[in-house]
Amino acid sequence: MGSQTKRVLLTPLMHSARPFRVSNHNRSSRRGVMASSLKELLSKTLDALLITSGLVTLVLEEDGTVVDTEEFFQTLGDNTHFMILEKGQKWTPGSNCIPARQQPKKSGIARITFDLYKLSPKDVIGCLNVKATMYEMYSVSYDFRCTGLKALLRSLLRFLSHAAQVTGQFLIYTGKNMLRVLDDTEEQSSPRLHSRQKFKIG
């Protein structure tokens, strides 16, 4: 029992084969391979791309990072794109690769937060702080303060007064226009009536 347990514990863990994409240095040849280890990936890549050179370097296709340890290889996800470089060849960015320093900056609002607080226990509603954080690494905030019931009622009355003034002006303007239209209609109908009466008399 002891020897069997020792044999099981010393047996290395076998990783299952995963899908990867590989290409040569100029991306003219691309292949898909299944591999469970870095050694197996290198072997299958050389066979798939028909490379006979013994000295090669495996790098990430997106940024040229060298992959030369099993530990780092196991951290990479499925369908990772690799590039195989022979002696004297160097990694070059692809047509779809955008360097980090040239990546387009995001613009607009990234996050909006609302904070409701009171300046004193006597406040009925309190204050509302609205803060907007932009992608450009700065923020804008604004405080809506309602410190008391009187201030709230005063603001409400001001709003209602302003709304009443606007409504009154709108009604006056509408009434004048309606009277003008009615007067024009009466003036147009009067000549027609006179002409008909003259025609009957004649």
Side-chain angles (χ1 to χ4, degrees):
M1 179 66 71
S3 61
Q4 292 179 356
T5 304
K6 183 177 181 181
R7 191 180 299 112
V8 171
L9 292 176
L10 294 178
T11 301
L13 295 175
M14 298 299 294
H15 298 281
S16 59
R18 297 185 294 154
F20 298 102
R21 293 178 296 161
V22 294
S23 62
N24 57 356
H25 74 287
N26 59 2
R27 300 175 177 83
S28 61
S29 180
R30 301 171 183 264
R31 295 290 186 274
V33 297
M34 297 287 294
S36 60
S37 64
L38 178 59
K39 183 178 179 180
E40 184 181 4
L41 177 65
L42 284 170
S43 177
K44 290 188 175 182
T45 300
L46 295 177
D47 294 340
L49 299 178
L50 303 178
I51 297 176
T52 58
S53 176
L55 184 60
V56 295
T57 303
L58 188 69
V59 300
L60 295 178
E61 188 273 342
E62 60 180 1
D63 59 7
T65 302
V66 177
V67 182
D68 55 359
T69 61
E70 182 67 25
E71 292 78 9
F72 178 59
F73 169 76
Q74 293 298 336
T75 62
L76 301 174
D78 296 353
N79 295 311
T80 299
H81 193 173
F82 296 98
M83 177 183 290
I84 196 79
L85 301 176
E86 300 181 56
K87 185 178 180 179
Q89 296 176 347
K90 294 183 179 181
W91 174 85
T92 55
S95 57
N96 296 328
C97 180
I98 302 177
R101 61 186 178 184
Q102 296 182 2
Q103 290 181 354
K105 294 182 178 180
K106 294 181 178 180
S107 61
I109 300 175
R111 183 179 60 182
I112 299 179
T113 57
F114 298 91
D115 184 19
L116 185 63
Y117 62 95
K118 291 184 178 182
L119 297 176
S120 67
K122 296 181 180 180
D123 293 342
V124 178
I125 297 179
C127 304
L128 176 64
N129 176 263
V130 181
K131 183 177 181 181
T133 303
M134 310 296 180
Y135 279 113
E136 289 82 2
M137 301 303 294
Y138 66 90
S139 60
V140 178
S141 62
Y142 188 81
D143 282 333
F144 297 92
R145 296 188 177 183
C146 297
T147 56
L149 183 59
K150 292 183 179 180
L152 178 62
L153 292 176
R154 189 180 297 111
S155 300
L156 181 60
L157 291 175
R158 287 177 180 174
F159 172 77
L160 293 176
S161 175
H162 180 70
Q165 292 178 2
V166 173
T167 304
Q169 293 177 359
F170 175 76
L171 291 176
I172 293 173
Y173 176 78
T174 304
K176 288 182 178 179
N177 286 336
M178 292 182 66
L179 290 175
R180 187 177 304 170
V181 171
L182 292 174
D183 291 341
D184 293 340
T185 305
E186 291 179 356
E187 291 178 357
Q188 292 177 0
S189 60
S190 296
R192 294 180 181 177
L193 182 61
H194 289 301
S195 61
R196 291 179 180 177
Q197 292 177 353
K198 291 180 179 179
F199 180 75
K200 290 180 179 179
I201 296 173

